[in-house]
Amino acid sequence: MKSLIVANWKCNPATLKDGQGIFREIKGKMGLVKSEVVICPPFVYLPVIGKGLVLGAQDAFWEKAGAYTGEISPAMLRDMGCRYVIVGHSERRRVFRETDEMANKKVRAALAEKINPILCIDRLSQLKAGIKGLNSKDLKSLIVAFEPLSAIGTGRPYPAGKAQKMYWGIRKIIGKDARILYGGSVNSGNASSYVKEAGFQGLLVGGASLKPREFIGIIKEIS
Ligand code: PGA
């Protein structure tokens, strides 16, 4: 199976022009890369960021439409060509007080629109709560990202050996089908330890995904 590498741009960059520049550079350097690469820019850039790379969103609401000022639904994301959506990122949980229950609603809403949810967790209790009500077919479309809090945006990557233990804990709960990613201070120097040594099926990359050369370095490292 191809590795999955997801770029989480977070609330960056500040202008569309810069975003298009990063997108173009990544696309231009992809060459014969075999991994599946997904770019998750801020919502407003989605329809105009560029063509030729798979797109994902960084969040989604759980209702399809209605009186929910400021929210974006999975149906809208699908209409904009998104195939993936990040759900329950630790920054959403911390800054916006999102709960496990909300993450679960978002996972189910994404699946209902045939968008692959990327459920972010840093402990197994979040995984169990996040997948409540999913059936075995749903689990085939689910992606779980293990993102240890201590490693996110800190430049302190989690030891691959410890991450591998968590990998097996997650695998035991979700079964054989769902893909499991590692995220947290990934760079071109440590990427292969998570994929080739610890056995993750891919990576969720934050800071390094805004630096095209570094991001391509990560992709090549694990391809
Ligand atoms: P980082 O972020 O790669 O900058 O640590 C990862 C993430 O938040 O998904």
mmCIF file of all heavy atoms in Angstrom, residues 53-88:
data_model
loop_
_atom_site.group_PDB
_atom_site.id
_atom_site.type_symbol
_atom_site.label_atom_id
_atom_site.label_comp_id
_atom_site.label_asym_id
_atom_site.label_seq_id
_atom_site.Cartn_x
_atom_site.Cartn_y
_atom_site.Cartn_z
ATOM 1 N N LEU A 53 -2.898 18.250 -7.191
ATOM 2 C CA LEU A 53 -2.586 17.550 -5.941
ATOM 3 C C LEU A 53 -3.907 17.300 -5.204
ATOM 4 O O LEU A 53 -4.849 18.080 -5.334
ATOM 5 C CB LEU A 53 -1.651 18.381 -5.052
ATOM 6 C CG LEU A 53 -0.223 18.606 -5.537
ATOM 7 C CD1 LEU A 53 0.515 19.568 -4.596
ATOM 8 C CD2 LEU A 53 0.544 17.288 -5.622
ATOM 9 N N VAL A 54 -3.953 16.228 -4.428
ATOM 10 C CA VAL A 54 -5.165 15.896 -3.680
ATOM 11 C C VAL A 54 -5.342 16.886 -2.526
ATOM 12 O O VAL A 54 -4.371 17.253 -1.857
ATOM 13 C CB VAL A 54 -5.075 14.449 -3.137
ATOM 14 C CG1 VAL A 54 -6.301 14.102 -2.303
ATOM 15 C CG2 VAL A 54 -4.922 13.470 -4.288
ATOM 16 N N LEU A 55 -6.583 17.318 -2.328
ATOM 17 C CA LEU A 55 -6.848 18.313 -1.280
ATOM 18 C C LEU A 55 -7.586 17.717 -0.090
ATOM 19 O O LEU A 55 -8.397 16.798 -0.220
ATOM 20 C CB LEU A 55 -7.696 19.448 -1.841
ATOM 21 C CG LEU A 55 -7.035 20.364 -2.862
ATOM 22 C CD1 LEU A 55 -8.049 21.384 -3.382
ATOM 23 C CD2 LEU A 55 -5.829 21.084 -2.252
ATOM 24 N N GLY A 56 -7.298 18.300 1.084
ATOM 25 C CA GLY A 56 -8.021 17.957 2.299
ATOM 26 C C GLY A 56 -8.315 19.229 3.057
ATOM 27 O O GLY A 56 -7.741 20.289 2.773
ATOM 28 N N ALA A 57 -9.225 19.132 4.042
ATOM 29 C CA ALA A 57 -9.526 20.289 4.884
ATOM 30 C C ALA A 57 -8.993 20.023 6.290
ATOM 31 O O ALA A 57 -8.675 18.886 6.647
ATOM 32 C CB ALA A 57 -11.033 20.523 4.910
ATOM 33 N N GLN A 58 -8.903 21.084 7.075
ATOM 34 C CA GLN A 58 -8.342 20.964 8.423
ATOM 35 C C GLN A 58 -9.398 20.731 9.490
ATOM 36 O O GLN A 58 -9.083 20.498 10.662
ATOM 37 C CB GLN A 58 -7.549 22.226 8.768
ATOM 38 C CG GLN A 58 -6.385 22.471 7.837
ATOM 39 C CD GLN A 58 -5.744 23.825 8.091
ATOM 40 O OE1 GLN A 58 -5.902 24.427 9.146
ATOM 41 N NE2 GLN A 58 -4.998 24.305 7.115
ATOM 42 N N ASP A 59 -10.662 20.818 9.082
ATOM 43 C CA ASP A 59 -11.762 20.653 10.032
ATOM 44 C C ASP A 59 -13.050 20.605 9.217
ATOM 45 O O ASP A 59 -13.038 20.917 8.012
ATOM 46 C CB ASP A 59 -11.803 21.854 11.000
ATOM 47 C CG ASP A 59 -12.807 21.666 12.132
ATOM 48 O OD1 ASP A 59 -13.105 20.516 12.489
ATOM 49 O OD2 ASP A 59 -13.298 22.690 12.662
ATOM 50 N N ALA A 60 -14.143 20.226 9.849
ATOM 51 C CA ALA A 60 -15.461 20.287 9.211
ATOM 52 C C ALA A 60 -16.507 20.270 10.313
ATOM 53 O O ALA A 60 -16.270 19.744 11.397
ATOM 54 C CB ALA A 60 -15.678 19.098 8.290
ATOM 55 N N PHE A 61 -17.653 20.843 10.011
ATOM 56 C CA PHE A 61 -18.766 20.791 10.955
ATOM 57 C C PHE A 61 -19.522 19.493 10.716
ATOM 58 O O PHE A 61 -19.326 18.832 9.697
ATOM 59 C CB PHE A 61 -19.673 22.008 10.723
ATOM 60 C CG PHE A 61 -20.728 22.198 11.772
ATOM 61 C CD1 PHE A 61 -20.412 22.143 13.125
ATOM 62 C CD2 PHE A 61 -22.047 22.425 11.408
ATOM 63 C CE1 PHE A 61 -21.386 22.325 14.086
ATOM 64 C CE2 PHE A 61 -23.028 22.607 12.370
ATOM 65 C CZ PHE A 61 -22.701 22.558 13.705
ATOM 66 N N TRP A 62 -20.426 19.138 11.644
ATOM 67 C CA TRP A 62 -21.106 17.843 11.479
ATOM 68 C C TRP A 62 -22.464 17.940 10.782
ATOM 69 O O TRP A 62 -23.000 16.926 10.377
ATOM 70 C CB TRP A 62 -21.251 17.130 12.828
ATOM 71 C CG TRP A 62 -21.899 17.933 13.901
ATOM 72 C CD1 TRP A 62 -23.228 18.161 14.058
ATOM 73 C CD2 TRP A 62 -21.241 18.611 14.971
ATOM 74 N NE1 TRP A 62 -23.443 18.940 15.160
ATOM 75 C CE2 TRP A 62 -22.242 19.231 15.747
ATOM 76 C CE3 TRP A 62 -19.894 18.759 15.359
ATOM 77 C CZ2 TRP A 62 -21.953 19.995 16.885
ATOM 78 C CZ3 TRP A 62 -19.618 19.505 16.493
ATOM 79 C CH2 TRP A 62 -20.632 20.118 17.226
ATOM 80 N N GLU A 63 -23.019 19.146 10.646
ATOM 81 C CA GLU A 63 -24.302 19.259 9.943
ATOM 82 C C GLU A 63 -24.039 19.556 8.466
ATOM 83 O O GLU A 63 -22.993 20.087 8.103
ATOM 84 C CB GLU A 63 -25.152 20.381 10.540
ATOM 85 C CG GLU A 63 -25.598 20.142 11.981
ATOM 86 C CD GLU A 63 -26.627 19.038 12.128
ATOM 87 O OE1 GLU A 63 -27.199 18.594 11.101
ATOM 88 O OE2 GLU A 63 -26.839 18.587 13.270
ATOM 89 N N LYS A 64 -25.025 19.262 7.646
ATOM 90 C CA LYS A 64 -24.882 19.430 6.207
ATOM 91 C C LYS A 64 -25.046 20.893 5.779
ATOM 92 O O LYS A 64 -24.355 21.391 4.891
ATOM 93 C CB LYS A 64 -25.969 18.600 5.529
ATOM 94 C CG LYS A 64 -25.540 18.017 4.222
ATOM 95 C CD LYS A 64 -26.596 17.065 3.670
ATOM 96 C CE LYS A 64 -26.126 16.556 2.337
ATOM 97 N NZ LYS A 64 -26.475 15.194 2.070
ATOM 98 N N ALA A 65 -25.988 21.585 6.424
ATOM 99 C CA ALA A 65 -26.279 22.986 6.102
ATOM 100 C C ALA A 65 -27.196 23.527 7.191
ATOM 101 O O ALA A 65 -27.719 22.764 7.998
ATOM 102 C CB ALA A 65 -26.993 23.081 4.756
ATOM 103 N N GLY A 66 -27.360 24.844 7.230
ATOM 104 C CA GLY A 66 -28.309 25.410 8.188
ATOM 105 C C GLY A 66 -27.773 26.624 8.907
ATOM 106 O O GLY A 66 -26.791 27.241 8.469
ATOM 107 N N ALA A 67 -28.418 26.979 10.019
ATOM 108 C CA ALA A 67 -28.088 28.198 10.755
ATOM 109 C C ALA A 67 -26.934 27.945 11.730
ATOM 110 O O ALA A 67 -27.136 27.753 12.930
ATOM 111 C CB ALA A 67 -29.332 28.692 11.502
ATOM 112 N N TYR A 68 -25.718 27.880 11.181
ATOM 113 C CA TYR A 68 -24.520 27.617 11.990
ATOM 114 C C TYR A 68 -23.433 28.579 11.532
ATOM 115 O O TYR A 68 -22.492 28.189 10.806
ATOM 116 C CB TYR A 68 -24.064 26.165 11.826
ATOM 117 C CG TYR A 68 -25.159 25.159 12.105
ATOM 118 C CD1 TYR A 68 -25.814 24.507 11.069
ATOM 119 C CD2 TYR A 68 -25.561 24.892 13.419
ATOM 120 C CE1 TYR A 68 -26.831 23.611 11.322
ATOM 121 C CE2 TYR A 68 -26.579 23.992 13.679
ATOM 122 C CZ TYR A 68 -27.217 23.362 12.628
ATOM 123 O OH TYR A 68 -28.221 22.473 12.880
ATOM 124 N N THR A 69 -23.559 29.818 11.914
ATOM 125 C CA THR A 69 -22.665 30.880 11.438
ATOM 126 C C THR A 69 -21.182 30.499 11.573
ATOM 127 O O THR A 69 -20.750 30.107 12.653
ATOM 128 C CB THR A 69 -22.947 32.174 12.225
ATOM 129 O OG1 THR A 69 -24.326 32.485 12.070
ATOM 130 C CG2 THR A 69 -22.090 33.325 11.724
ATOM 131 N N GLY A 70 -20.497 30.625 10.480
ATOM 132 C CA GLY A 70 -19.045 30.392 10.512
ATOM 133 C C GLY A 70 -18.616 28.967 10.215
ATOM 134 O O GLY A 70 -17.423 28.701 10.090
ATOM 135 N N GLU A 71 -19.556 28.047 10.117
ATOM 136 C CA GLU A 71 -19.172 26.641 9.945
ATOM 137 C C GLU A 71 -19.125 26.203 8.477
ATOM 138 O O GLU A 71 -19.771 26.793 7.611
ATOM 139 C CB GLU A 71 -20.125 25.731 10.725
ATOM 140 C CG GLU A 71 -19.995 25.876 12.237
ATOM 141 C CD GLU A 71 -18.602 25.532 12.747
ATOM 142 O OE1 GLU A 71 -17.979 24.584 12.228
ATOM 143 O OE2 GLU A 71 -18.124 26.223 13.666
ATOM 144 N N ILE A 72 -18.367 25.147 8.229
ATOM 145 C CA ILE A 72 -18.204 24.578 6.882
ATOM 146 C C ILE A 72 -18.566 23.093 6.971
ATOM 147 O O ILE A 72 -18.022 22.384 7.815
ATOM 148 C CB ILE A 72 -16.728 24.672 6.421
ATOM 149 C CG1 ILE A 72 -16.140 26.073 6.635
ATOM 150 C CG2 ILE A 72 -16.569 24.171 4.985
ATOM 151 C CD1 ILE A 72 -16.386 27.078 5.582
ATOM 152 N N SER A 73 -19.456 22.648 6.094
ATOM 153 C CA SER A 73 -19.910 21.254 6.200
ATOM 154 C C SER A 73 -19.112 20.328 5.284
ATOM 155 O O SER A 73 -18.535 20.770 4.287
ATOM 156 C CB SER A 73 -21.391 21.158 5.833
ATOM 157 O OG SER A 73 -21.546 21.312 4.430
ATOM 158 N N PRO A 74 -19.109 19.035 5.615
ATOM 159 C CA PRO A 74 -18.444 18.061 4.733
ATOM 160 C C PRO A 74 -19.013 18.085 3.319
ATOM 161 O O PRO A 74 -18.272 17.891 2.350
ATOM 162 C CB PRO A 74 -18.729 16.718 5.410
ATOM 163 C CG PRO A 74 -18.930 17.054 6.851
ATOM 164 C CD PRO A 74 -19.604 18.394 6.858
ATOM 165 N N ALA A 75 -20.313 18.355 3.184
ATOM 166 C CA ALA A 75 -20.905 18.412 1.838
ATOM 167 C C ALA A 75 -20.262 19.540 1.028
ATOM 168 O O ALA A 75 -19.979 19.391 -0.167
ATOM 169 C CB ALA A 75 -22.419 18.619 1.937
ATOM 170 N N MET A 76 -20.013 20.674 1.688
ATOM 171 C CA MET A 76 -19.363 21.800 0.993
ATOM 172 C C MET A 76 -17.924 21.441 0.615
ATOM 173 O O MET A 76 -17.449 21.771 -0.475
ATOM 174 C CB MET A 76 -19.333 23.032 1.904
ATOM 175 C CG MET A 76 -20.703 23.599 2.207
ATOM 176 S SD MET A 76 -20.561 24.788 3.564
ATOM 177 C CE MET A 76 -22.297 25.158 3.793
ATOM 178 N N LEU A 77 -17.258 20.756 1.514
ATOM 179 C CA LEU A 77 -15.865 20.372 1.237
ATOM 180 C C LEU A 77 -15.798 19.418 0.060
ATOM 181 O O LEU A 77 -14.920 19.517 -0.797
ATOM 182 C CB LEU A 77 -15.249 19.707 2.484
ATOM 183 C CG LEU A 77 -15.092 20.636 3.684
ATOM 184 C CD1 LEU A 77 -14.582 19.853 4.885
ATOM 185 C CD2 LEU A 77 -14.141 21.778 3.364
ATOM 186 N N ARG A 78 -16.743 18.513 0.033
ATOM 187 C CA ARG A 78 -16.788 17.554 -1.084
ATOM 188 C C ARG A 78 -17.004 18.292 -2.403
ATOM 189 O O ARG A 78 -16.364 18.008 -3.412
ATOM 190 C CB ARG A 78 -17.913 16.568 -0.825
ATOM 191 C CG ARG A 78 -17.888 15.392 -1.738
ATOM 192 C CD ARG A 78 -18.759 14.282 -1.209
ATOM 193 N NE ARG A 78 -19.169 13.409 -2.285
ATOM 194 C CZ ARG A 78 -18.331 12.628 -2.973
ATOM 195 N NH1 ARG A 78 -17.050 12.619 -2.685
ATOM 196 N NH2 ARG A 78 -18.771 11.879 -3.941
ATOM 197 N N ASP A 79 -17.868 19.282 -2.341
ATOM 198 C CA ASP A 79 -18.156 20.078 -3.539
ATOM 199 C C ASP A 79 -16.911 20.843 -4.013
ATOM 200 O O ASP A 79 -16.768 21.159 -5.196
ATOM 201 C CB ASP A 79 -19.309 21.044 -3.237
ATOM 202 C CG ASP A 79 -19.843 21.704 -4.487
ATOM 203 O OD1 ASP A 79 -20.058 20.987 -5.481
ATOM 204 O OD2 ASP A 79 -20.030 22.934 -4.490
ATOM 205 N N MET A 80 -16.014 21.154 -3.080
ATOM 206 C CA MET A 80 -14.771 21.864 -3.431
ATOM 207 C C MET A 80 -13.660 20.887 -3.816
ATOM 208 O O MET A 80 -12.499 21.261 -3.989
ATOM 209 C CB MET A 80 -14.289 22.711 -2.238
ATOM 210 C CG MET A 80 -15.155 23.907 -1.921
ATOM 211 S SD MET A 80 -15.213 25.070 -3.295
ATOM 212 C CE MET A 80 -16.965 25.175 -3.541
ATOM 213 N N GLY A 81 -13.998 19.603 -3.866
ATOM 214 C CA GLY A 81 -13.020 18.618 -4.315
ATOM 215 C C GLY A 81 -12.181 17.982 -3.218
ATOM 216 O O GLY A 81 -11.208 17.288 -3.497
ATOM 217 N N CYS A 82 -12.536 18.219 -1.952
ATOM 218 C CA CYS A 82 -11.764 17.621 -0.849
ATOM 219 C C CYS A 82 -12.028 16.139 -0.720
ATOM 220 O O CYS A 82 -13.171 15.710 -0.758
ATOM 221 C CB CYS A 82 -12.160 18.253 0.480
ATOM 222 S SG CYS A 82 -11.413 19.814 0.748
ATOM 223 N N ARG A 83 -10.979 15.385 -0.505
ATOM 224 C CA ARG A 83 -11.155 13.939 -0.292
ATOM 225 C C ARG A 83 -10.814 13.514 1.128
ATOM 226 O O ARG A 83 -11.099 12.384 1.526
ATOM 227 C CB ARG A 83 -10.317 13.172 -1.305
ATOM 228 C CG ARG A 83 -10.915 13.387 -2.698
ATOM 229 C CD ARG A 83 -10.382 12.538 -3.813
ATOM 230 N NE ARG A 83 -9.542 11.448 -3.446
ATOM 231 C CZ ARG A 83 -8.424 11.129 -4.116
ATOM 232 N NH1 ARG A 83 -8.050 11.852 -5.150
ATOM 233 N NH2 ARG A 83 -7.712 10.102 -3.757
ATOM 234 N N TYR A 84 -10.204 14.425 1.864
ATOM 235 C CA TYR A 84 -9.812 14.111 3.246
ATOM 236 C C TYR A 84 -10.193 15.280 4.148
ATOM 237 O O TYR A 84 -10.283 16.416 3.689
ATOM 238 C CB TYR A 84 -8.297 13.912 3.337
ATOM 239 C CG TYR A 84 -7.798 12.683 2.618
ATOM 240 C CD1 TYR A 84 -7.547 12.714 1.240
ATOM 241 C CD2 TYR A 84 -7.577 11.498 3.314
ATOM 242 C CE1 TYR A 84 -7.100 11.588 0.571
ATOM 243 C CE2 TYR A 84 -7.121 10.366 2.651
ATOM 244 C CZ TYR A 84 -6.878 10.417 1.283
ATOM 245 O OH TYR A 84 -6.433 9.300 0.624
ATOM 246 N N VAL A 85 -10.370 14.987 5.431
ATOM 247 C CA VAL A 85 -10.547 16.075 6.396
ATOM 248 C C VAL A 85 -9.917 15.682 7.740
ATOM 249 O O VAL A 85 -10.096 14.559 8.221
ATOM 250 C CB VAL A 85 -12.040 16.465 6.573
ATOM 251 C CG1 VAL A 85 -12.879 15.316 7.099
ATOM 252 C CG2 VAL A 85 -12.189 17.671 7.493
ATOM 253 N N ILE A 86 -9.138 16.606 8.280
ATOM 254 C CA ILE A 86 -8.533 16.400 9.602
ATOM 255 C C ILE A 86 -9.611 16.671 10.659
ATOM 256 O O ILE A 86 -10.339 17.659 10.559
ATOM 257 C CB ILE A 86 -7.332 17.359 9.805
ATOM 258 C CG1 ILE A 86 -6.238 17.073 8.759
ATOM 259 C CG2 ILE A 86 -6.782 17.264 11.227
ATOM 260 C CD1 ILE A 86 -5.125 18.128 8.724
ATOM 261 N N VAL A 87 -9.701 15.787 11.628
ATOM 262 C CA VAL A 87 -10.720 15.927 12.673
ATOM 263 C C VAL A 87 -10.073 15.778 14.049
ATOM 264 O O VAL A 87 -9.214 14.916 14.247
ATOM 265 C CB VAL A 87 -11.809 14.832 12.489
ATOM 266 C CG1 VAL A 87 -12.737 14.778 13.692
ATOM 267 C CG2 VAL A 87 -12.610 15.057 11.208
ATOM 268 N N GLY A 88 -10.490 16.629 14.986
ATOM 269 C CA GLY A 88 -10.027 16.479 16.369
ATOM 270 C C GLY A 88 -8.555 16.785 16.568
ATOM 271 O O GLY A 88 -7.908 16.220 17.468
#
